[in-house]
Amino acid sequence: MVDVVDSAYPKHAIFTEAENIPLIDLSAESNLLAEIRDACKEWGFFQLVNHGASLELLRNIKSAAREFFAQSKEEKGKVKRDEVNPLGYYDSEHTKNVRDWKEVFDLAVESPIVMPVSHDPNDKELMEMHNRWPEYPPNFREACQEYALEVKNLAFKLLQLISMSLGLPENHLDGFFKDHASLVRINHYPPCPTPDVALGVGPHKDSVGLTILAQDDVGGLEVKRKADGAWIRVEPIPDAYIVNLGAIMQAWTNDRYESVEHRAIVNSERERFSIGFFFNPAHHVNVEPLRKLIDHQKNPAKYKPFNWGKFVATRRRSNFKKLDVENLQVSDFKINAAGLA
């Protein structure tokens, strides 16, 4: 795992536990859309209970993850990802050019997925990304694949509820996710001897449509509250999922719903696991404010169009090495008051 602490990490800001992110019961028959609307508008995050996804499949992947990460670095390295095929095991990822205190295993929900070879807008070449599977534990592949497909169904359901919460037809956003490039990431955060100067994942916004996260009882996720910038620790709820909006949802909704910064702190005594499902559109999707949500007079488009595949390819460059420039953000496509990007 990570054996150095990057001095670029700041000391942790003060956080509060006085208020937690909204809790939404997906089985509720009344006020569900209003609750989702308020949570997306005020927080960009919510916890989800009674979501209908199989708890047995969640337990299976958690168990398989513990067995996989308990192996030696040499064994895990046999399925190590690289810049050519960024799927598999990795232990030195960067977030915004700062080294994370974690190790991960990434897999495509539906393999292979197709993505641009490079961030160059003139380069039209595409590549196929194939899953890499370890020999041990023997049930790892099955546990991951079954879980990924289960949460994919939940993601489409949430996408439709969010669409309706915006006053749009239920399936208005579904087309963007045909031939989707969704990923599952299993995170392992080992105990850290200096938790006051290191972070499991530094402050960032996800470059996706939606993220659906399962965390264990250790916890560690913190959300930056929109109202005042305070860091709010998301307390673990058994069998709940944490849902947050990604950067492209912010652009689609023309800032009506914003993607919010979050981070993961580390623990000096206990290891932590979490499993993230990143709901991604197809690589060829061009992201821009939805026409039904803009008005050229009262609410003009706040973002110029950008290609999601190239956006991710650009951000992916800093996953493997520290760059001399700030990582690309959705805010880089913002149109200012004069109408210029």
Side-chain angles (χ1 to χ4, degrees):
M1 185 43 205
V2 180
D3 53 8
V4 296
V5 176
D6 196 314
S7 60
Y9 274 128
K11 292 283 186 178
H12 293 178
I14 297 174
F15 70 90
T16 177
E17 297 183 14
E19 182 182 9
N20 214 329
I21 64 172
L23 179 64
I24 294 178
D25 183 342
L26 197 58
S27 68
E29 297 182 358
S30 60
N31 299 322
L32 180 59
L33 292 182
E35 289 182 5
I36 290 176
R37 182 185 307 113
D38 291 344
C40 291
K41 185 176 180 180
E42 301 301 328
W43 284 87
F45 267 83
F46 54 89
Q47 291 215 65
L48 193 68
V49 295
N50 294 324
H51 43 71
S54 169
L55 298 179
E56 180 181 2
L57 295 182
L58 177 57
R59 287 191 291 269
N60 289 346
I61 192 173
K62 284 182 175 180
S63 176
R66 286 186 177 276
E67 291 186 67
F68 172 77
F69 285 113
Q71 298 179 100
S72 68
K73 189 172 183 178
E74 180 182 10
E75 284 299 314
K76 290 180 286 190
K78 292 179 180 179
V79 287
K80 190 171 184 178
R81 76 186 204 191
D82 52 42
E83 293 186 63
V84 176
N85 185 12
L87 295 176
Y89 172 76
Y90 203 62
D91 65 347
S92 54
E93 189 168 68
H94 290 70
T95 298
K96 290 189 177 180
N97 283 330
V98 179
R99 181 90 168 261
D100 296 333
W101 189 277
K102 67 177 181 183
E103 55 183 345
V104 305
F105 188 92
D106 288 336
L107 62 113
V109 174
E110 297 179 0
S111 179
I113 58 175
V114 178
M115 293 294 288
V117 168
S118 79
H119 66 286
D120 184 348
N122 296 315
D123 186 352
K124 306 301 181 184
E125 187 178 357
L126 301 173
M127 66 177 181
E128 288 188 346
M129 295 162 51
H130 295 262
N131 284 328
R132 292 182 168 125
W133 298 110
E135 294 182 3
Y136 183 85
N139 65 327
F140 186 82
R141 178 173 183 169
E142 181 181 8
C144 289
Q145 289 178 323
E146 289 182 343
Y147 177 82
L149 293 177
E150 180 79 353
V151 182
K152 180 195 75 171
N153 294 332
L154 176 60
F156 270 106
K157 184 174 184 178
L158 287 171
L159 186 72
Q160 292 166 354
L161 289 170
I162 289 172
S163 181
M164 289 189 289
S165 78
L166 290 162
L168 301 173
E170 180 180 24
N171 62 352
H172 193 76
L173 299 171
D174 287 14
F176 295 127
F177 293 85
K178 182 181 179 182
D179 301 322
H180 62 101
S182 301
L183 301 172
V184 168
R185 164 167 291 183
I186 307 173
N187 299 292
H188 175 228
Y189 304 91
C192 176
T194 54
D196 58 330
V197 295
L199 286 170
V201 183
H204 68 284
K205 297 181 180 182
D206 295 341
S207 58
V208 303
L210 296 173
T211 299
I212 302 175
L213 181 79
Q215 67 170 343
D216 62 14
D217 63 330
V218 177
L221 176 66
E222 293 183 351
V223 174
K224 195 172 186 178
R225 186 166 54 194
K226 288 176 58 178
D228 57 7
W231 287 104
I232 306 298
R233 183 168 296 174
V234 182
E235 294 302 320
I237 296 176
D239 301 330
Y241 280 117
I242 301 163
V243 180
N244 69 278
L245 307 181
I248 58 176
M249 188 65 72
Q250 178 171 330
W252 277 333
T253 65
N254 209 33
D255 285 350
R256 186 179 299 188
Y257 293 167
E258 293 183 35
S259 179
V260 174
E261 275 196 319
H262 50 287
R263 67 186 186 184
I265 62 171
V266 286
N267 193 295
S268 62
E269 298 178 355
R270 298 182 63 188
E271 63 181 345
R272 174 182 179 244
F273 291 88
S274 68
I275 305 169
F277 179 100
F278 300 104
F279 199 29
N280 298 323
H283 73 87
H284 53 75
V285 167
N286 288 321
V287 179
E288 61 184 315
L290 300 171
R291 293 181 181 179
K292 291 189 176 183
L293 298 182
I294 61 174
D295 182 294
H296 294 297
Q297 297 297 324
K298 297 180 180 179
N299 184 34
K302 298 177 180 178
Y303 295 88
K304 66 177 181 178
F306 62 92
N307 176 263
W308 183 79
K310 291 296 184 181
F311 175 62
V312 172
T314 304
R315 289 172 61 95
R316 192 170 61 227
R317 295 169 62 211
S318 70
N319 284 353
F320 298 90
K321 56 190 174 183
K322 188 168 183 176
L323 303 177
D324 294 328
V325 295
E326 178 69 18
N327 205 357
L328 187 68
Q329 305 294 321
V330 69
S331 58
D332 293 320
F333 300 95
K334 202 89 183 261
I335 301 172
N336 64 25
L340 301 174

